[in-house]
Amino acid sequence: MVTGKKDIILFDGICNFCNSYINYVISHDEQNRFVFASLQSDVAKELSAVHQIDLQHLNSIVVIHNQKIFTRSDGIIHIGKHLKSKWSWVLLMISFIPRFIRNYGYTLIARRRYSWFGQMDSCMVPTQEIRDKFLT
């Protein structure tokens, strides 16, 4: 699994909200900085073992940048800092909120994401145009 200098985003592949967010990231990633893998994939299992991440209990997006791990709101902020989006300034403002408050809000949404947004029976299959952005 070679990613070069790209950041790896691990996300819940069966969550409709998470998939929508990943599609947003892909469409605003003008620097082609990110690659992706679902938390349900073998790649995520390998990365979790290497980086000692407990994916069973984390319930969060995971961003791996070099050897540093960003989860919950820190992961969202890290991603947002590198996107070309009109909403990037919002994430900059959120970064000034103390982490425990940001993560509380993140956790509230994460716990309810399936009931609010639904889930799929299986992980999404990337289209041909974006398939090279997904680790397999």
Side-chain angles (χ1 to χ4, degrees):
M1 161 184 17
V2 177
T3 60
K5 298 194 182 269
K6 296 189 184 282
D7 291 359
I8 302 169
I9 300 175
L10 305 178
F11 67 101
D12 185 348
I14 61 171
C15 169
N16 288 336
F17 179 74
C18 304
N19 278 289
S20 294
Y21 178 68
I22 293 305
N23 287 329
Y24 178 83
V25 172
I26 290 168
S27 67
H28 292 86
D29 181 19
E30 291 185 359
Q31 298 173 359
N32 198 26
R33 180 186 182 102
F34 299 106
V35 292
F36 309 89
S38 76
L39 291 170
Q40 294 80 10
S41 69
D42 290 335
V43 171
K45 291 174 188 147
E46 291 174 28
L47 289 168
S48 69
V50 169
H51 295 282
Q52 301 176 356
I53 306 167
D54 182 3
L55 296 180
Q56 295 294 323
H57 298 99
L58 187 57
N59 200 22
S60 171
I61 195 166
V62 178
V63 180
I64 303 171
H65 169 71
N66 297 326
Q67 296 300 315
K68 188 166 182 172
I69 307 297
F70 297 93
T71 60
R72 297 183 182 90
S73 63
D74 288 335
I76 299 299
I77 290 168
H78 176 82
I79 294 167
K81 286 180 181 177
H82 301 287
L83 297 181
K84 181 75 172 178
S85 168
K86 63 182 178 184
W87 298 105
S88 296
W89 67 272
V90 173
L91 291 172
L92 177 63
M93 299 308 291
I94 289 172
S95 69
F96 291 107
I97 298 171
R99 180 181 288 130
F100 77 94
I101 295 172
R102 292 189 328 247
N103 284 342
Y104 178 77
Y106 182 97
T107 301
L108 285 176
I109 295 169
R111 286 185 182 153
R112 292 167 178 82
R113 69 188 186 274
Y114 293 147
S115 62
W116 288 351
F117 304 102
Q119 69 185 81
M120 296 180 266
D121 293 329
S122 61
C123 295
M124 75 167 182
V125 177
T127 63
Q128 187 65 38
E129 301 89 62
I130 62 170
R131 189 164 289 150
D132 62 336
K133 291 182 166 288
F134 286 81
L135 303 175
T136 56

